[in-house]
Amino acid sequence: MKYTLTLSALAMMTSAAMANEQTIYQWPNVYQGDNSSLQQLTKSSHEYWQTVSGRELKQGVAVHVTQADHLIRVAPKARFDSGIVIKPQQLQMDKLQLRDAKSNATLALKSIAAQQQMHQAGFKDGSVAIQLKNVSAQGKPMLQSTQPLGDDDQYLVHVVEKGSPYALKAHADFRVDEQQRTLAMDLSMAQQGNASTAANNVSLRVHSPVDEQLSARYANGKVIFSQPLQHVGAAQGFYEIEADTTVNINGQQVKRTIKLPFVYSKDTITMKTAKVSALGNNRFQASVPVNVSDEGRYAIRATLQGMVAGKATKLATVEVAKAIKGVDTFTLPFDVATAATGPFKLVDVELSDHTRMLKFTPTQKFVKGPVAGF
């Protein structure tokens, strides 16, 4: 019995030691990359897209086109019903047309592309595409199919106006911090040669990393979520915001959609003041105490800086990873090729949460320790 207990204790000690092992890597050269994390995104769009039902497509769906150089793409979208994947009918080009909403007259088409041509162009989703021959500022084209489509079937209508003078521009935060219910996002419709106009009448679609649709609204330059966000980090992917707006410019209805990713962030790891020790023969060791709120695998990358010929010089970069639960310490061994004197400190420090795919750039000043020159 004692023998069995001893073996069990040894096995537990071995497992704990293995779990606490560090993976250590010293970069062959000092890390020179940008250590700042992504905070904001800027994007512009000359297109829009919307999902319509088979019923709507049979009745006619308004399309917003403002220039001769455009493409109207329509693609079937699979949907789920009671766990079953339902695929809609493929669209027949001879049953698809554009009509004027005022006169109901059929509008002439400049070019068309059936499924085979679109497939050859890289669209393997059953897409078809059409283009108007003439675009009028006063025209109100309607896309319509005379096929007996299923009322509940879904189709994507995607209108692209490459090179258009009208662009929806977005400048948004990339991170939503823990407990926040808003994301700053500035939306404006830019017209070439004219001042931008703030986008109003904005509708939003927000998708989680696991493709759940969340309720949100846009007001005063912010996306306001109706419920708390749940998925921390980017391990399962990003959250996505799709914003639609329609603006009247010189009598034309200009419609644009823009899509932006963002991440829900939480400070899962924090660090205290690090300590550097000189081991002799140009070898150093830094100890970095950390505290984690969520168990997982974490990493630190840091560069040791010292004085060479009276000038602050980055000497070596080391990266260390380990599994952590609660309070722990990273131990960073530095093997320096150049003789240096103190004071020594860690710079360009980056902490990573590998489990949830998050990165943090600590802002506090590091490092004091028993090294000559402090």
Side-chain angles (χ1 to χ4, degrees):
M1 187 69 171
K2 290 183 179 179
Y3 182 69
T4 304
L5 287 173
T6 303
L7 286 177
S8 299
L10 284 171
M12 290 174 65
M13 291 172 63
T14 302
S15 298
M18 290 179 65
N20 203 41
E21 282 185 356
Q22 293 192 146
T23 301
I24 302 170
Y25 174 72
Q26 178 161 330
W27 289 55
N29 299 299
V30 173
Y31 177 74
Q32 300 291 345
D34 183 6
N35 210 44
S36 61
S37 58
L38 181 62
Q39 299 295 328
Q40 293 185 316
L41 291 173
T42 299
K43 194 174 181 181
S44 62
S45 170
H46 295 90
E47 58 191 304
Y48 80 86
W49 57 87
Q50 66 184 99
T51 299
V52 301
S53 67
R55 181 187 295 107
E56 290 172 317
L57 199 52
K58 288 184 292 186
Q59 293 173 346
V61 176
V63 289
H64 302 274
V65 178
T66 64
Q67 64 178 28
D69 187 5
H70 68 274
L71 184 71
I72 303 168
R73 183 172 73 91
V74 192
K77 288 186 67 176
R79 60 186 174 89
F80 291 90
D81 189 351
S82 302
I84 300 173
V85 179
I86 300 177
K87 296 182 178 181
Q89 295 183 48
Q90 296 292 313
L91 293 167
Q92 299 173 20
M93 289 301 298
D94 60 342
K95 304 291 185 181
L96 198 63
Q97 60 187 359
L98 285 165
R99 306 182 70 87
D100 184 78
K102 293 180 179 179
S103 65
N104 203 35
T106 302
L107 301 174
L109 301 180
K110 180 180 178 181
S111 60
I112 59 174
Q115 282 96 345
Q116 184 177 355
Q117 293 167 290
M118 294 295 286
H119 189 276
Q120 292 171 349
F123 294 94
K124 300 179 181 180
D125 55 358
S127 291
V128 297
I130 57 178
Q131 191 176 35
L132 274 170
K133 184 175 182 179
N134 299 303
V135 176
S136 169
Q138 289 74 41
K140 295 185 179 297
M142 301 280 291
L143 178 68
Q144 187 178 36
S145 174
T146 58
Q147 277 182 251
L149 304 175
D151 286 349
D152 296 326
D153 285 345
Q154 294 184 337
Y155 295 87
L156 175 72
V157 177
H158 185 191
V159 179
V160 182
E161 295 191 293
K162 188 176 180 180
S164 169
Y166 309 121
L168 177 60
K169 293 192 174 182
H171 185 69
D173 286 347
F174 177 65
R175 304 167 73 98
V176 174
D177 292 329
E178 186 181 14
Q179 303 302 327
Q180 283 189 350
R181 291 281 193 95
T182 63
L183 174 77
M185 182 170 70
D186 179 60
L187 288 173
S188 61
M189 187 70 79
Q191 183 181 359
Q192 193 173 14
N194 293 279
S196 298
T197 304
N200 297 310
N201 190 29
V202 175
S203 62
L204 296 176
R205 294 180 298 277
V206 181
H207 301 276
S208 78
V210 294
D211 207 29
E212 301 164 328
Q213 189 154 336
L214 309 180
S215 176
R217 60 188 176 88
Y218 182 72
N220 301 319
K222 290 183 178 181
V223 176
I224 303 169
F225 305 104
S226 61
Q227 61 200 78
L229 302 178
Q230 301 292 332
H231 302 278
V232 176
Q236 296 175 292
F238 294 111
Y239 281 89
E240 283 187 336
I241 295 174
E242 291 183 32
D244 293 306
T245 188
T246 304
V247 179
N248 189 308
I249 302 178
N250 300 325
Q252 284 187 306
Q253 293 292 309
V254 181
K255 186 171 183 176
R256 295 288 183 262
T257 304
I258 202 162
K259 181 189 290 186
L260 292 167
F262 71 93
V263 66
Y264 179 46
S265 183
K266 175 183 177 182
D267 290 337
T268 53
I269 181 169
T270 55
M271 65 173 282
K272 296 182 179 180
T273 302
K275 176 182 176 182
V276 174
S277 302
L279 305 179
N281 297 320
N282 292 337
R283 293 170 58 243
F284 301 84
Q285 180 174 286
S287 297
V288 184
V290 295
N291 183 33
V292 305
S293 61
D294 299 74
E295 181 180 357
R297 188 165 181 81
Y298 292 85
I300 184 172
R301 186 186 67 224
T303 297
L304 179 67
Q305 179 177 287
M307 304 299 291
V308 176
K311 182 180 179 181
T313 303
K314 295 179 181 180
L315 304 171
T317 300
V318 166
E319 193 161 352
V320 173
K322 66 188 298 188
I324 300 177
K325 180 180 180 181
V327 177
D328 210 324
T329 299
F330 283 116
T331 301
L332 287 71
F334 293 91
D335 192 350
V336 178
T338 304
T341 60
F344 295 93
K345 67 178 181 178
L346 297 184
V347 296
D348 298 338
V349 179
E350 181 182 84
L351 298 170
S352 299
D353 179 343
H354 287 177
T355 302
R356 282 152 286 273
M357 291 185 66
L358 285 169
K359 288 189 176 183
F360 308 95
T361 305
T363 57
Q364 64 260 45
K365 297 292 183 183
F366 314 103
V367 166
K368 294 282 184 177
V371 178
F374 274 90

